[in-house]
């Protein structure tokens, strides 16, 4: 899954693991999360849970896909075999696709001999959210699934987003902040028209006081602190002027980029995506595209600064699109 969407889906499932287990394997009980690292191939699955179904132990393996992967079925098979060997337990594997994009993995995956005899026949679950009826999820009454609604068959509608917000902010109860943050990001992926995206931004701005306490904003602050940005932001705010903010942030990052390497560039790209996701999630694809086109820390640094001081999504889009690429 490209960019940061795999992380969002992992967060979503981990916020309500029993809801997802109940959806995918009715009657199963979530017990605990297992390490997804599969050492024989030195790879990590997206999510691996220990579950119990009909009083028998099993594993649930989930993979998330934003874009087409021609090797997806084979990867699922490999992960399933490795997880089975590692934990000595049968494994249910599922792949969840967010949006239609090219060829989709089909079950079963087969490996055959020269004469056509199958030596491996692997069954796995395939979920295409854009084909899933919206009411098929709403009828389950599982809050953890609500952020997925805008990506379902009839979900690309404003009233569906309103239903999601109401479901995650029940009267007289604490709002489910983490799920709301994830619902915002996934709805931004579903809504493509400018008017709808502007409405979505305005609608979630109305509950911004709730979102500010969510992991997305906390994670953003942690990343900024790790990269020396916190000091720059604070200095800029104290001066009360845009120039002061930019100078302070540059000073905060200067030490971290003196010995820049490819790894440093990648970290700066992740900071850029974190800023964009927290403030203007609809611009994540543009930020990913722009971030990948630069190999110099100074250029990525300029992108981060632009996003941090932009006052609107339109301004952020213009700033992201006008960075000088002459040094790239």
């Amino acid at each position: 899954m490209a960019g940061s969407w795999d992380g969002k889906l992992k967060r979503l499932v981990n916020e309500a693991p029993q809801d997802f287990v109940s959806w995918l394997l009715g009657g199963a009980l979530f017990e605990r999360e297992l390490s997804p690292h599969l050492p024989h191939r030195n790879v990590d699955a997206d999510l691996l849970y220990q579950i119990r179904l009909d009083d028998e132990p099993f594993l649930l393996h989930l993979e998330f896909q934003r874009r087409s992967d021609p090797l997806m079925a084979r990867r699922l098979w490999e992960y399933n075999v490795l997880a089975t060997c590692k934990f000595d337990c049968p494994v249910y594997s599922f792949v969840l696709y967010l949006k239609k994009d090219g060829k989709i993995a089909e079950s079963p995956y087969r490996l055959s001999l020269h004469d056509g005899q199958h030596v491996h026949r692997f069954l796995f679950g395939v979920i295409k959210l854009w084909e899933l009826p919206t009411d098929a999820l709403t009828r389950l009454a599982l809050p953890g699934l609500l952020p997925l609604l805008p990506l379902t068959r009839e979900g690309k509608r404003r009233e569906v987003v309103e239903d999601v917000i109401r479901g995650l902010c029940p009267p007289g109860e604490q709002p489910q902040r983490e799920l709301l943050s994830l619902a915002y990001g996934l709805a931004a992926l579903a809504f493509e028209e400018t008017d709808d995206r502007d409405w979505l931004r305005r609608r979630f701005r109305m509950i911004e006081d709730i979102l500010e306490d969510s992991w997305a904003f906390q994670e953003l602050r942690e990343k900024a602190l790790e990269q020396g940005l916190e000091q720059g932001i604070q200095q800029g705010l104290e001066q009360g002027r845009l120039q002061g903010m930019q100078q302070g942030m540059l000073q905060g990052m200067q030490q971290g980029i003196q010995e820049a390497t490819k790894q440093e560039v990648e970290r700066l790209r992740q900071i850029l995506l974190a800023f964009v996701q927290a403030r203007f999630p609809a611009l994540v694809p543009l930020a990913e595209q722009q971030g990948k086109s630069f190999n110099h820390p100074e250029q990525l640094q300029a992108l981060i600064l632009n996003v941090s001081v932009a006052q609107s999504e339109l301004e952020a889009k213009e700033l992201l699109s006008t960075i000088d690429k002459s040094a790239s």
Side-chain angles (χ1 to χ4, degrees), residues 57-295:
F58 295 95
L59 302 185
L60 174 61
H61 162 223
L62 298 178
E63 292 292 322
F64 309 110
Q65 286 294 112
R66 166 65 179 87
R67 293 186 171 89
S68 175
D69 178 356
L71 299 179
M72 190 68 241
R74 181 179 178 86
R75 286 205 294 122
L76 282 169
W77 167 68
E78 290 179 332
Y79 293 168
N80 187 287
V81 172
L82 291 173
T84 300
C85 294
K86 178 180 178 179
F87 295 101
D88 192 25
C89 191
V91 181
Y92 287 95
S93 288
F94 289 84
V95 57
L96 190 154
Y97 286 92
L98 294 180
K99 297 189 73 176
K100 188 175 183 179
D101 181 62
K103 184 175 176 58
I104 302 300
E106 298 292 344
S107 180
Y109 172 73
R110 297 182 178 91
L111 283 178
S112 305
L113 299 176
H114 73 283
D115 58 0
Q117 181 179 356
H118 298 317
V119 291
H120 290 281
R121 183 175 182 271
F122 168 59
L123 299 173
F124 57 93
V126 179
I127 299 172
K128 308 170 190 177
L129 283 178
W130 64 92
E131 293 184 355
L132 186 67
T134 303
D135 62 0
L137 287 189
T138 55
R139 286 198 304 266
L140 296 175
L142 299 171
L145 304 183
L146 291 178
L148 296 178
L149 290 184
L151 296 171
T152 57
R153 192 174 67 191
E154 299 86 20
K156 197 188 306 185
R157 295 179 291 137
R158 298 180 185 184
E159 52 265 38
V160 171
V161 174
E162 293 289 359
D163 289 341
V164 172
I165 294 174
R166 282 193 294 270
L168 297 178
C169 297
E173 300 181 21
Q174 287 292 324
Q176 301 193 44
R177 294 180 175 86
E178 320 304 338
L179 294 179
L180 277 170
S181 295
L182 292 160
Y184 187 11
L186 294 174
L189 179 63
F191 283 15
E192 299 174 349
E193 299 297 328
T194 301
D195 288 347
D196 288 332
R197 288 187 169 185
D198 289 343
W199 173 84
L200 184 68
R201 177 164 42 83
R202 292 194 303 270
R203 183 63 183 89
F204 275 86
R205 186 175 293 166
M206 295 170 62
I207 56 172
E208 190 171 0
D209 57 330
I210 297 174
L211 297 177
E212 283 180 348
D213 292 329
S214 69
W215 67 264
F217 287 84
Q218 295 170 1
E219 186 174 84
L220 173 61
R221 287 193 291 267
E222 290 172 3
K223 285 181 178 291
L225 181 60
E226 290 172 0
Q227 297 296 324
L229 292 174
E230 187 70 19
Q231 179 183 355
I233 294 173
Q234 185 61 38
Q235 290 175 356
L237 289 173
E238 289 173 356
Q239 293 179 36
R241 293 180 293 113
L242 176 59
Q243 182 179 0
M245 178 180 286
Q246 291 174 330
Q247 290 175 347
M249 293 179 70
L250 285 170
Q251 293 170 2
M253 289 188 294
Q254 189 172 14
Q255 182 179 0
I257 64 174
Q258 286 177 348
E259 302 297 332
T261 61
K262 289 183 179 180
Q263 292 180 346
E264 178 68 12
V265 168
E266 183 59 31
R267 284 196 293 269
L268 289 173
R269 287 171 178 160
Q270 294 303 315
I271 292 174
L272 170 66
L273 293 179
F275 266 96
V276 174
Q277 177 58 42
R279 300 197 65 206
F280 310 108
L283 298 182
V284 167
L286 175 61
E288 286 182 323
Q289 178 183 352
Q290 291 291 76
K292 289 178 181 178
S293 67
F294 297 129
N295 294 313

